mmCIF file with all atom_site columns, all heavy atoms in Angstrom:
data_model
loop_
_atom_site.group_PDB
_atom_site.id
_atom_site.type_symbol
_atom_site.label_atom_id
_atom_site.label_alt_id
_atom_site.label_comp_id
_atom_site.label_asym_id
_atom_site.label_entity_id
_atom_site.label_seq_id
_atom_site.pdbx_PDB_ins_code
_atom_site.Cartn_x
_atom_site.Cartn_y
_atom_site.Cartn_z
_atom_site.occupancy
_atom_site.B_iso_or_equiv
_atom_site.pdbx_formal_charge
_atom_site.auth_seq_id
_atom_site.auth_comp_id
_atom_site.auth_asym_id
_atom_site.auth_atom_id
_atom_site.pdbx_PDB_model_num
ATOM 1  N N   . LEU A 1 135 ? 18.366 0.057  -15.086 1.00 0.00 ? 987 LEU A N   1
ATOM 2  C CA  . LEU A 1 135 ? 17.753 -0.769 -16.077 1.00 0.00 ? 987 LEU A CA  1
ATOM 3  C C   . LEU A 1 135 ? 17.868 -0.124 -17.488 1.00 0.00 ? 987 LEU A C   1
ATOM 4  O O   . LEU A 1 135 ? 17.120 -0.501 -18.410 1.00 0.00 ? 987 LEU A O   1
ATOM 5  C CB  . LEU A 1 135 ? 16.283 -1.056 -15.729 1.00 0.00 ? 987 LEU A CB  1
ATOM 6  C CG  . LEU A 1 135 ? 16.100 -1.903 -14.469 1.00 0.00 ? 987 LEU A CG  1
ATOM 7  C CD1 . LEU A 1 135 ? 14.633 -1.900 -14.022 1.00 0.00 ? 987 LEU A CD1 1
ATOM 8  C CD2 . LEU A 1 135 ? 16.602 -3.309 -14.704 1.00 0.00 ? 987 LEU A CD2 1
ATOM 9  N N   . GLY A 1 136 ? 18.742 0.827  -17.599 1.00 0.00 ? 988 GLY A N   1
ATOM 10 C CA  . GLY A 1 136 ? 18.908 1.487  -18.906 1.00 0.00 ? 988 GLY A CA  1
ATOM 11 C C   . GLY A 1 136 ? 18.138 2.800  -18.958 1.00 0.00 ? 988 GLY A C   1
ATOM 12 O O   . GLY A 1 136 ? 17.555 3.229  -17.987 1.00 0.00 ? 988 GLY A O   1
ATOM 13 N N   . ASN A 1 137 ? 18.111 3.366  -20.129 1.00 0.00 ? 989 ASN A N   1
ATOM 14 C CA  . ASN A 1 137 ? 17.418 4.647  -20.357 1.00 0.00 ? 989 ASN A CA  1
ATOM 15 C C   . ASN A 1 137 ? 16.095 4.437  -21.011 1.00 0.00 ? 989 ASN A C   1
ATOM 16 O O   . ASN A 1 137 ? 15.929 3.521  -21.862 1.00 0.00 ? 989 ASN A O   1
ATOM 17 C CB  . ASN A 1 137 ? 18.277 5.582  -21.204 1.00 0.00 ? 989 ASN A CB  1
ATOM 18 C CG  . ASN A 1 137 ? 19.493 6.040  -20.500 1.00 0.00 ? 989 ASN A CG  1
ATOM 19 O OD1 . ASN A 1 137 ? 19.615 5.928  -19.257 1.00 0.00 ? 989 ASN A OD1 1
ATOM 20 N ND2 . ASN A 1 137 ? 20.515 6.477  -21.237 1.00 0.00 ? 989 ASN A ND2 1
ATOM 21 N N   . ASP A 1 138 ? 15.162 5.306  -20.670 1.00 0.00 ? 990 ASP A N   1
ATOM 22 C CA  . ASP A 1 138 ? 13.825 5.271  -21.348 1.00 0.00 ? 990 ASP A CA  1
ATOM 23 C C   . ASP A 1 138 ? 13.916 6.051  -22.666 1.00 0.00 ? 990 ASP A C   1
ATOM 24 O O   . ASP A 1 138 ? 14.978 6.501  -23.058 1.00 0.00 ? 990 ASP A O   1
ATOM 25 C CB  . ASP A 1 138 ? 12.710 5.789  -20.421 1.00 0.00 ? 990 ASP A CB  1
ATOM 26 C CG  . ASP A 1 138 ? 12.839 7.286  -20.100 1.00 0.00 ? 990 ASP A CG  1
ATOM 27 O OD1 . ASP A 1 138 ? 13.677 7.993  -20.689 1.00 0.00 ? 990 ASP A OD1 1
ATOM 28 O OD2 . ASP A 1 138 ? 12.090 7.718  -19.199 1.00 0.00 ? 990 ASP A OD2 1
ATOM 29 N N   . SER A 1 139 ? 12.789 6.218  -23.348 1.00 0.00 ? 991 SER A N   1
ATOM 30 C CA  . SER A 1 139 ? 12.788 6.850  -24.658 1.00 0.00 ? 991 SER A CA  1
ATOM 31 C C   . SER A 1 139 ? 13.186 8.327  -24.598 1.00 0.00 ? 991 SER A C   1
ATOM 32 O O   . SER A 1 139 ? 13.536 8.941  -25.580 1.00 0.00 ? 991 SER A O   1
ATOM 33 C CB  . SER A 1 139 ? 11.392 6.728  -25.302 1.00 0.00 ? 991 SER A CB  1
ATOM 34 O OG  . SER A 1 139 ? 10.398 7.332  -24.468 1.00 0.00 ? 991 SER A OG  1
ATOM 35 N N   . GLU A 1 140 ? 13.108 8.910  -23.370 1.00 0.00 ? 992 GLU A N   1
ATOM 36 C CA  . GLU A 1 140 ? 13.479 10.312 -23.224 1.00 0.00 ? 992 GLU A CA  1
ATOM 37 C C   . GLU A 1 140 ? 14.919 10.465 -22.682 1.00 0.00 ? 992 GLU A C   1
ATOM 38 O O   . GLU A 1 140 ? 15.349 11.575 -22.302 1.00 0.00 ? 992 GLU A O   1
ATOM 39 C CB  . GLU A 1 140 ? 12.491 11.014 -22.268 1.00 0.00 ? 992 GLU A CB  1
ATOM 40 C CG  . GLU A 1 140 ? 11.084 11.040 -22.834 1.00 0.00 ? 992 GLU A CG  1
ATOM 41 C CD  . GLU A 1 140 ? 10.077 11.583 -21.821 1.00 0.00 ? 992 GLU A CD  1
ATOM 42 O OE1 . GLU A 1 140 ? 10.434 12.449 -21.010 1.00 0.00 ? 992 GLU A OE1 1
ATOM 43 O OE2 . GLU A 1 140 ? 8.924  11.172 -21.885 1.00 0.00 ? 992 GLU A OE2 1
ATOM 44 N N   . GLY A 1 141 ? 15.666 9.357  -22.597 1.00 0.00 ? 993 GLY A N   1
ATOM 45 C CA  . GLY A 1 141 ? 17.023 9.404  -22.125 1.00 0.00 ? 993 GLY A CA  1
ATOM 46 C C   . GLY A 1 141 ? 17.158 9.429  -20.621 1.00 0.00 ? 993 GLY A C   1
ATOM 47 O O   . GLY A 1 141 ? 18.278 9.644  -20.131 1.00 0.00 ? 993 GLY A O   1
ATOM 48 N N   . ARG A 1 142 ? 16.082 9.215  -19.904 1.00 0.00 ? 994 ARG A N   1
ATOM 49 C CA  . ARG A 1 142 ? 16.159 9.200  -18.447 1.00 0.00 ? 994 ARG A CA  1
ATOM 50 C C   . ARG A 1 142 ? 16.503 7.803  -17.946 1.00 0.00 ? 994 ARG A C   1
ATOM 51 O O   . ARG A 1 142 ? 16.109 6.822  -18.558 1.00 0.00 ? 994 ARG A O   1
ATOM 52 C CB  . ARG A 1 142 ? 14.833 9.651  -17.832 1.00 0.00 ? 994 ARG A CB  1
ATOM 53 C CG  . ARG A 1 142 ? 14.400 11.053 -18.256 1.00 0.00 ? 994 ARG A CG  1
ATOM 54 C CD  . ARG A 1 142 ? 13.034 11.407 -17.757 1.00 0.00 ? 994 ARG A CD  1
ATOM 55 N NE  . ARG A 1 142 ? 12.043 10.437 -18.246 1.00 0.00 ? 994 ARG A NE  1
ATOM 56 C CZ  . ARG A 1 142 ? 10.825 10.393 -17.856 1.00 0.00 ? 994 ARG A CZ  1
ATOM 57 N NH1 . ARG A 1 142 ? 10.310 11.271 -16.989 1.00 0.00 ? 994 ARG A NH1 1
ATOM 58 N NH2 . ARG A 1 142 ? 9.971  9.495  -18.297 1.00 0.00 ? 994 ARG A NH2 1
ATOM 59 N N   . THR A 1 143 ? 17.223 7.731  -16.842 1.00 0.00 ? 995 THR A N   1
ATOM 60 C CA  . THR A 1 143 ? 17.590 6.436  -16.289 1.00 0.00 ? 995 THR A CA  1
ATOM 61 C C   . THR A 1 143 ? 16.432 5.750  -15.599 1.00 0.00 ? 995 THR A C   1
ATOM 62 O O   . THR A 1 143 ? 15.753 6.398  -14.783 1.00 0.00 ? 995 THR A O   1
ATOM 63 C CB  . THR A 1 143 ? 18.767 6.596  -15.277 1.00 0.00 ? 995 THR A CB  1
ATOM 64 O OG1 . THR A 1 143 ? 19.830 7.257  -15.940 1.00 0.00 ? 995 THR A OG1 1
ATOM 65 C CG2 . THR A 1 143 ? 19.248 5.287  -14.714 1.00 0.00 ? 995 THR A CG2 1
ATOM 66 N N   . ASN A 1 144 ? 16.215 4.491  -15.863 1.00 0.00 ? 996 ASN A N   1
ATOM 67 C CA  . ASN A 1 144 ? 15.197 3.699  -15.262 1.00 0.00 ? 996 ASN A CA  1
ATOM 68 C C   . ASN A 1 144 ? 15.804 2.930  -14.119 1.00 0.00 ? 996 ASN A C   1
ATOM 69 O O   . ASN A 1 144 ? 16.649 2.023  -14.324 1.00 0.00 ? 996 ASN A O   1
ATOM 70 C CB  . ASN A 1 144 ? 14.542 2.721  -16.275 1.00 0.00 ? 996 ASN A CB  1
ATOM 71 C CG  . ASN A 1 144 ? 13.440 1.891  -15.661 1.00 0.00 ? 996 ASN A CG  1
ATOM 72 O OD1 . ASN A 1 144 ? 13.091 2.043  -14.510 1.00 0.00 ? 996 ASN A OD1 1
ATOM 73 N ND2 . ASN A 1 144 ? 12.945 0.964  -16.458 1.00 0.00 ? 996 ASN A ND2 1
ATOM 74 N N   . LEU A 1 145 ? 15.389 3.198  -12.860 1.00 0.00 ? 997 LEU A N   1
ATOM 75 C CA  . LEU A 1 145 ? 15.825 2.495  -11.681 1.00 0.00 ? 997 LEU A CA  1
ATOM 76 C C   . LEU A 1 145 ? 14.737 1.593  -11.154 1.00 0.00 ? 997 LEU A C   1
ATOM 77 O O   . LEU A 1 145 ? 14.873 1.044  -10.059 1.00 0.00 ? 997 LEU A O   1
ATOM 78 C CB  . LEU A 1 145 ? 16.300 3.449  -10.590 1.00 0.00 ? 997 LEU A CB  1
ATOM 79 C CG  . LEU A 1 145 ? 17.496 4.299  -10.912 1.00 0.00 ? 997 LEU A CG  1
ATOM 80 C CD1 . LEU A 1 145 ? 17.865 5.154  -9.675  1.00 0.00 ? 997 LEU A CD1 1
ATOM 81 C CD2 . LEU A 1 145 ? 18.702 3.439  -11.313 1.00 0.00 ? 997 LEU A CD2 1
ATOM 82 N N   . GLY A 1 146 ? 13.669 1.379  -11.897 1.00 0.00 ? 998 GLY A N   1
ATOM 83 C CA  . GLY A 1 146 ? 12.632 0.421  -11.541 1.00 0.00 ? 998 GLY A CA  1
ATOM 84 C C   . GLY A 1 146 ? 11.483 1.018  -10.717 1.00 0.00 ? 998 GLY A C   1
ATOM 85 O O   . GLY A 1 146 ? 10.588 0.301  -10.341 1.00 0.00 ? 998 GLY A O   1
#
Side-chain angles (χ1 to χ4, degrees):
L987 294 168
N989 293 340
D990 67 9
S991 60
E992 297 174 31
R994 301 174 303 173
T995 303
N996 178 5
L997 295 182

